[in-house]
Every structure is written in structure tokens, then in C-alpha cells.
Amino acid sequence: MHLKQIKRNGRVYLSVVQNYREGGKTRTKTIETIGYADAFADRYDDPIAHFQEYVAKLNEEARSEDAPVSLSFSRNAQIEPGQNEGVHLGAGIAASYIEALGAHTFFDGVSGSQGLADPGTVFEVLACARMLHAVPKHETWESIDAFPREVSASFTDAYRALPCFARNDTQLVASINKAFDRLRGRGSVNQALLIYSNYVFSAALGDEAGGGRPSRAEDSTSSQLKRLCVIIDGNGMPITYRIVDAQLDTAGILSVLEDTKREIGAKRIVLVAGRVDDADEIARLTWESGNGFILYQPLHSAARDLRQWIADNEGYETSKSGSFRMKSRMMRHEYVDDEGKHRRMPIKDLVLWGREFAMQTRAQRMSAPQTNATGSDTGLDGYLCIVSSETGRTNGTLFNLYRELWRVHEPFQVIDADFISPPAPVNPQDHLRAHFLICYTAFFALRMLRLDMGWKYNAAQVADALLQLEGAHLTENWYLFNYRTDVTDAVEETLGIDVGRRIMSRNDIRHAIAQAKRTIRDRTPLDRR
């Protein structure tokens, strides 16, 4: 609120007014009419100064925690067509992490940014959207008015910025790592995981610039198929990512392992992979090189003693609900190496059974009965077996590390709609590189939030909570929130902001986001906790 002064016939008329945003425009509401200033000259030495102090007290009272809010609506008030007057507090929290990592300012003046409309904000918007929910770019821009920062760039500008993102992908990843090291103190990496993910996609896009879309993997040649690899440190935080040929042979996989090891300066890399050809040889050579592995063991081709051990109910630990159980055994794999020496490699077999997985496996087998011809044992429906060199890790830890194969899949998936008839010409390969950079940044920021929350909730729970933290516009500068869960309470505790309030002003929301930024920036680094 402020004191409005209007000159009328040589006199000054006073009133208390408040500005607010509505329909994208600034409007003014009269809170109280006071009258002509000279009418109060017999009571106050300086009437204008007196009423300015009066307004200051009103503002102080309005800022108090329990100040009442009186809002009025016309019974027949209409929603203006084409207006989205909500505000997305969850996106503001996401943007706070992306800003803390330096991604917003990184594109100021970098190669390829000349002539672009605010590429840093474009990148921030796209990464925030991906952090909360994987949606096409056009849907992101349809709700851009709810983004907590003003965005002047258009939907076309977003596509024009993609080549700039692609050109600077390696540099941004390095910059994010430096920012994270400064904020949380990762320091040197002694051991890391290389997630050789199950996400295989086709890099074959239309020949014409800006046209076409990713072809389906089944329609592509082997040379067009690519695979996503993500490298993660011991605390679960990403370090970098790689796009490699999907059908790498043993030498190719080991080369990626060693190249990554040198790139990040790690002493040891643990390969986490699903189905791979020559898994025994990959395991042996990985172990001989001083690295480790956590690999999938297909049951239909497993040795008889392994299948019998899995089928034996002895030794399983079962969850309270009975829907999940696991057991493990320690083994020594004896073999003769390439130099003729007898070696004994310690390994750990871990088998897991899940009721839902069993139902899915059974349903898939029933829908494709010809698969029974492979000799699969229907009594092993729902069982998953992995083998690992990491014999000192607990069963739960090994399973969680193996599950990274699924966790890194969804955040990076290509959405076909982004590649169909883009509004500005974009080289298809640049488009893909930009896509994975945006996805990686969102993946990193979400993991950083989960790290700050103590890894108490999974990615889907945290992302969904942020997605739901959107306020619906009521009137003037006031917004209504109606979502609260244990996850949002944890976000509140982590960032020191009040996200459980039912009604917030735009100013309240700005202050909350500013507080989140301060908390992220000032949080005690990991190495000093």
C-alpha cells in the first residue's frame, strides 16, 4: 500500500491505494479515502508526512503472520479467455536449484548465444519443466505465465536457442560440477558408478533441418541406435553422462569404462548394466582392471545349481507385507586368465522376488506363449538375479545401485512432439544434444534437492510434490494453494520456507523463493556436516 496524492484545484487529495497485477496489467485498488491534506492542517504540522507514517503502519500490520485478508468477488465474475493467472511455487523451487548450479547465467555471452532472446531463461524454463514433469516444449510455453520469473522469450526463441545449448554441453556439465563442489563439497571422486542404462533410442532424425523426429528403435539400423550412460558418485550425485553406440562389444564397454575413469579422475569405476553380451568376460576383465561390476544374470541360461538355489525357499528375507523378498550367497569364480594364471574372483549372487514383478512376468508370458519354447522356468516368474564383485555391500545397497538402471531412464526420454514441426529450423543432432543437456541438468537439480532432503523420498514423489505446488489466482495479488503432503512438509523443512500456507500473495511467493535460494546457497557443505 502507498499514499496516493492527487492535485485538484491547487489542493492535494489523499487516499490509501494498493497496486496489484491482474490480466498481465498493473491495476490500483483504493483501500481508504482520506480527503484534502489542508483539511488536517489544524491537527498535524505536516499532514502528508503523518499519513505516510500511517500507511507504513498499515503495511507493517499487513505483513504480520496472522493479519486477516478480506477478499471480495462478484458472484458472476468471469475467467478471462486465454489467461493463466496461476503462479507455480514448485517451479520457483526447481529454478532456485538450477540457478544455484549456475545454469541460468552460464549462457550469457557463450559461443552461439549472440542474437538469441535470453537463452539462459529459456534453458532454465525447459530444465524446470523437465525436473517436475516430462512434457513437450509447446505445453511448457502454453503455461509460461505461471513461471515465477518473467519470460520474454517466445516458443520460437526456445528452439532457436537449442544449437547454442548443444554447442556448450560439455562446458555446462563442467560448470555445474564446479558449482556443486563449491556448494556441497564433492571434491575428488575416488569411486563412481557407470550406469550403462537400458535406455536405447534412435539417433536417426529427418534429413531436413528442423524436420523429422526420432525414429523408433525397432525401425532403425544398429548403427543408428544409441544408449545413455550416466556416471554417478558415491553419494548418488551425477558427474557426467555419455551417449554411446547401443551395441558396444566387450572392448567397447571396457573402453567407455576406462575413458570415463580418466575423465573424472576416479580410482575405481563400478559398471552397472542389464543384459549385455559376453557378461562373464566383461565381469572378468572389469575385475582384473581393478574396477567393479553389478550385472544382470538371465535365469533362462543360468547354471543348474544357481537355478536350484533360487528355487529353494531357504535363506530368503521377506518384507513385512510379503510382497518382496531377497537372499544372497558368496562365491568364488575360478578361471584361467589370458596369461595362463589361475584366478579366483570373489562374487556375490543376489536374487530378488517381487509379487508385482511376478504378475507382470506371468502376464507377458501368457500374452506371448511362444516364449516358453526358450526353456524358461515358469516357476521362476518374478525373480531377478544379479551378480556383483561388490561383496562388501549389503543386499539392499546392491539392489538400490542396480535400480539406477531404471531411475535414469525416464528423466531422459525423448518426446516425439518436440521433434515434429518445430517452429524454427534446428539441426536434428543439435536438437538431441540440447535435449540430453536439459534432461541431465534437471536430473542433477532434482537429485541435489533429494540429497538436501536426506534421500528420504524418491524422485517421482519429490517431482510430483513440486508439480502440485501451484497457486490459483483469486483476486488482486492473492493465490490459493490446496496441496500439502509429508513430501511438501519435508521440502518446507529443508528450504526453510512456508509452503503449507493456504493463501499467499505474490510478494509472499517472491520472498519464499528468495529464501529458498539463500538456503541452497548457505547450506553446510557435505564435507563439514
Side-chain angles (χ1 to χ4, degrees):
M1 289 178 283
H2 65 276
L3 184 66
K4 185 177 181 179
Q5 306 174 43
I6 301 176
K7 288 187 177 181
R8 295 179 179 175
N9 300 319
R11 303 173 70 188
V12 178
Y13 189 84
L14 305 178
S15 58
V16 181
V17 300
Q18 181 174 2
N19 294 336
Y20 62 94
R21 297 281 292 179
E22 189 171 79
K25 298 179 181 179
T26 300
R27 303 184 186 278
T28 301
K29 173 185 178 181
T30 299
I31 304 298
E32 179 182 346
T33 58
I34 296 175
Y36 288 104
D38 56 17
F40 298 91
D42 58 339
R43 281 184 274 175
Y44 312 114
D45 294 336
D46 188 342
I48 293 178
H50 168 80
F51 285 108
Q52 285 176 333
E53 184 178 345
Y54 169 70
V55 173
K57 290 180 179 179
L58 291 179
N59 283 325
E60 185 177 350
E61 292 173 0
R63 285 192 292 267
S64 66
E65 291 185 3
D66 294 324
V69 177
S70 297
L71 303 175
S72 62
F73 304 87
S74 167
R75 182 184 297 271
N76 297 317
Q78 297 291 307
I79 300 171
E80 293 294 330
Q83 285 188 4
N84 179 5
E85 296 186 44
V87 64
H88 211 309
L89 176 58
I93 293 171
S96 298
Y97 273 92
I98 291 170
E99 182 177 315
L101 294 170
H104 178 261
T105 57
F106 172 83
F107 292 99
D108 295 342
V110 300
S111 175
S113 65
Q114 295 75 18
L116 296 178
D118 200 359
T121 299
V122 168
F123 187 88
E124 180 183 49
V125 168
L126 294 175
C128 282
R130 195 72 185 200
M131 184 172 167
L132 272 58
H133 185 51
V135 295
K137 295 181 181 66
H138 70 86
E139 290 187 19
T140 300
W141 248 258
E142 287 169 3
S143 59
I144 200 68
D145 289 341
F147 193 73
R149 188 198 300 275
E150 185 175 348
V151 181
S152 58
S154 68
F155 178 49
T156 301
D157 291 330
Y159 274 82
R160 287 176 178 155
L162 296 180
C164 173
F165 302 159
R167 184 179 299 181
N168 296 280
D169 54 358
T170 303
Q171 297 92 322
L172 178 56
V173 170
S175 178
I176 287 174
N177 279 330
K178 289 180 181 178
F180 180 76
D181 189 34
R182 183 177 63 254
L183 292 166
R184 298 293 181 268
R186 170 156 57 192
S188 60
V189 179
N190 291 323
Q191 182 166 282
L193 302 176
L194 191 150
I195 311 300
Y196 189 73
S197 85
N198 297 326
Y199 182 32
V200 174
F201 62 95
S202 174
L205 301 170
D207 292 331
E208 60 184 279
R213 59 183 176 87
S215 302
R216 293 179 302 173
E218 59 266 29
D219 296 334
S220 306
T221 65
S222 59
S223 63
Q224 296 170 333
L225 293 178
K226 300 295 179 180
R227 183 187 301 270
L228 170 71
C229 297
V230 180
I231 295 82
I232 297 174
D233 70 15
N235 290 316
M237 288 303 300
I239 302 173
T240 188
Y241 65 99
R242 289 176 176 271
I243 304 299
V244 302
D245 290 339
Q247 306 298 333
L248 288 178
D249 58 13
T250 300
I253 293 175
L254 294 176
S255 177
V256 170
L257 204 67
E258 291 301 324
D259 289 347
T260 302
K261 187 176 176 180
R262 284 191 296 271
E263 177 185 340
I264 66 175
K267 295 180 180 178
R268 187 170 183 267
I269 293 279
V270 177
L271 173 67
V272 182
R275 294 179 182 271
V276 291
D277 295 331
D278 302 321
D280 289 343
E281 183 180 10
I282 290 173
R284 176 176 63 84
L285 294 175
T286 299
W287 179 72
E288 287 180 1
S289 64
N291 297 309
F293 59 85
I294 303 173
L295 301 175
Y296 170 77
Q297 285 207 91
L299 296 183
H300 70 272
S301 60
R304 178 182 293 273
D305 75 300
L306 176 61
R307 293 163 63 84
Q308 290 176 340
W309 172 72
I310 292 172
D312 186 355
N313 288 324
E314 186 71 24
Y316 278 100
E317 297 179 6
T318 305
S319 65
K320 292 181 179 180
S321 64
S323 60
F324 180 82
R325 63 179 184 165
M326 70 169 70
K327 71 175 177 178
S328 65
R329 67 179 184 178
M330 306 294 289
M331 304 287 289
R332 288 192 177 274
H333 177 60
E334 298 188 4
Y335 68 95
V336 178
D337 66 16
D338 295 339
E339 297 179 356
K341 297 180 181 179
H342 288 271
R343 307 289 294 268
R344 302 179 69 191
M345 177 174 63
I347 59 173
K348 186 175 189 178
D349 289 326
L350 173 65
V351 61
L352 310 104
W353 176 88
R355 180 174 291 124
E356 290 188 8
F357 184 43
M359 295 171 62
Q360 293 172 3
T361 306
R362 195 170 296 115
Q364 291 172 356
R365 179 165 45 77
M366 295 295 290
S367 64
Q370 65 274 15
T371 57
N372 289 337
T374 62
S376 61
D377 188 343
T378 58
L380 296 181
D381 284 348
Y383 287 89
L384 172 72
C385 188
I386 58 179
V387 59
S388 176
S389 61
E390 309 305 286
T391 56
R393 299 182 188 261
T394 65
N395 291 349
T397 299
L398 276 179
F399 179 50
N400 279 325
L401 293 179
Y402 185 76
R403 284 203 300 180
E404 294 287 5
L405 287 169
W406 301 306
R407 291 178 179 138
V408 304
H409 182 170
E410 185 174 354
F412 289 85
Q413 288 189 59
V414 172
I415 298 178
D416 286 358
D418 282 339
F419 292 82
I420 299 174
S421 302
V426 183
N427 178 281
Q429 299 308 314
D430 282 347
H431 197 163
L432 270 181
R433 286 179 61 184
H435 167 80
F436 283 109
L437 180 65
I438 291 165
C439 292
Y440 176 79
T441 304
F443 179 66
F444 197 115
L446 184 58
R447 286 228 164 184
M448 186 173 170
L449 171 55
R450 293 177 59 216
L451 171 70
D452 289 348
M453 294 172 68
W455 302 106
K456 188 175 180 181
Y457 299 99
N458 63 39
Q461 290 172 312
V462 177
D464 186 62
L466 295 182
L467 182 65
Q468 300 295 335
L469 286 177
E470 183 169 11
H473 182 246
L474 290 172
T475 185
E476 302 170 18
N477 287 324
W478 293 99
Y479 297 84
L480 175 68
F481 293 82
N482 62 355
Y483 184 80
R484 181 179 178 182
T485 64
D486 291 342
V487 185
T488 61
D489 285 350
V491 171
E492 178 176 303
E493 181 180 357
T494 299
L495 297 178
I497 60 177
D498 189 354
V499 299
R501 290 175 57 180
R502 184 174 294 278
I503 296 178
M504 298 177 74
S505 69
R506 182 171 285 275
N507 198 45
D508 293 332
I509 294 167
R510 281 197 295 264
H511 281 303
I513 294 173
Q515 178 59 49
K517 291 178 181 179
R518 288 192 293 270
T519 304
I520 295 167
R521 181 191 63 219
D522 300 336
R523 192 177 184 87
T524 304
L526 292 172
D527 56 3
R528 294 204 297 273
R529 291 181 192 173

